[in-house]
């Protein structure tokens, strides 16, 4: 890394590259993401990009992990602001934010692109929303005012079903996709809090 970059410069460039990458992903999809375009968007040379990331796949993974951490941070802030475990309405807001985001990889990628992305990752890296059992257990045990006896596996499966529905959206009725997302969010909330109304 050239000596001209302070840590603050590095952090700012990193953030700007992540944002430029999301702009490209949202517009063009995974396979069309170009390192050259990301570098140009933030005013650096392509070679400088590789001082931050080992490969395009490493960059995409960093983008996805930053996005996942942002979602967790929002959930934690919401819990802190509430001063108590989250109720159904606050959990709904967070789940809607999570699953309706234009930066949700499951809304951007096709099933084929997602399989390509997963195959390109080293074995120790995962993008599977259902495999993140620790996050679901944290939500059940600490974040949400969840009912006793929540089936954590069912919550994980419902999150996985959301991902599958979005990845395979071309196989579903387009006019009903968002209602399907709503239904799966409702099912998740029913599992966490019990049936409403």
């Amino acid at each position: 890394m050239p000596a001209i970059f302070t840590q603050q410069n590095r952090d700012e460039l990193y953030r700007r590259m992540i944002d430029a990458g999301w702009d490209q992903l949202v517009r063009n999809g995974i396979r069309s993401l170009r390192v050259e375009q990301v570098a140009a968007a933030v005013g650096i040379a392509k070679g400088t990009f590789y001082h931050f990331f080992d490969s395009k796949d490493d960059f995409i993974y960093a983008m996805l992990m930053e996005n996942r951490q942002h979602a967790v941070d929002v959930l934690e802030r919401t819990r802190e602001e509430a001063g108590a475990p989250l109720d159904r309405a606050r959990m709904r807001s967070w789940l809607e934010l999570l699953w309706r985001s234009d930066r949700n990889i499951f809304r951007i990628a096709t099933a084929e692109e997602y399989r390509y992305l997963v195959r390109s990752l080293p074995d120790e890296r995962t993008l599977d929303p259902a495999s993140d059992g620790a996050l679901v257990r944290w939500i059940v045990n600490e974040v949400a005012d969840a009912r006793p006896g929540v089936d954590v596996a069912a919550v994980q499966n419902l999150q996985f079903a959301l991902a599958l529905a979005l990845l395979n959206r071309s196989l579903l009725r387009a006019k009903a996709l968002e209602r399907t997302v709503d239904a799966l969010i409702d099912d998740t909330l029913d599992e966490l809090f019990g049936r409403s109304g």
Side-chain angles (χ1 to χ4, degrees), residues 113-132:
E113 288 174 323
Y114 189 75
R115 281 190 299 273
Y116 160 79
L117 182 58
V118 169
R119 282 193 307 266
S120 72
L121 295 175
D123 290 339
E124 67 274 4
R125 293 182 172 180
T126 183
L127 301 176
D128 180 359
S131 71
D132 199 350

Side-chain angles (χ1 to χ4, degrees), residues 61 64-65 68 99 105-106 114 118 121 125-133 135-136 156-157 159-161 163-164 167:
Y61 185 76
L64 297 174
M65 292 303 98
R68 181 181 278 184
W99 289 105
I105 191 63
F106 303 111
Y114 189 75
V118 169
L121 295 175
R125 293 182 172 180
T126 183
L127 301 176
D128 180 359
S131 71
D132 199 350
L135 177 61
V136 173
Q156 288 174 294
N157 281 348
Q159 296 303 288
F160 190 61
L164 288 173
L167 285 173

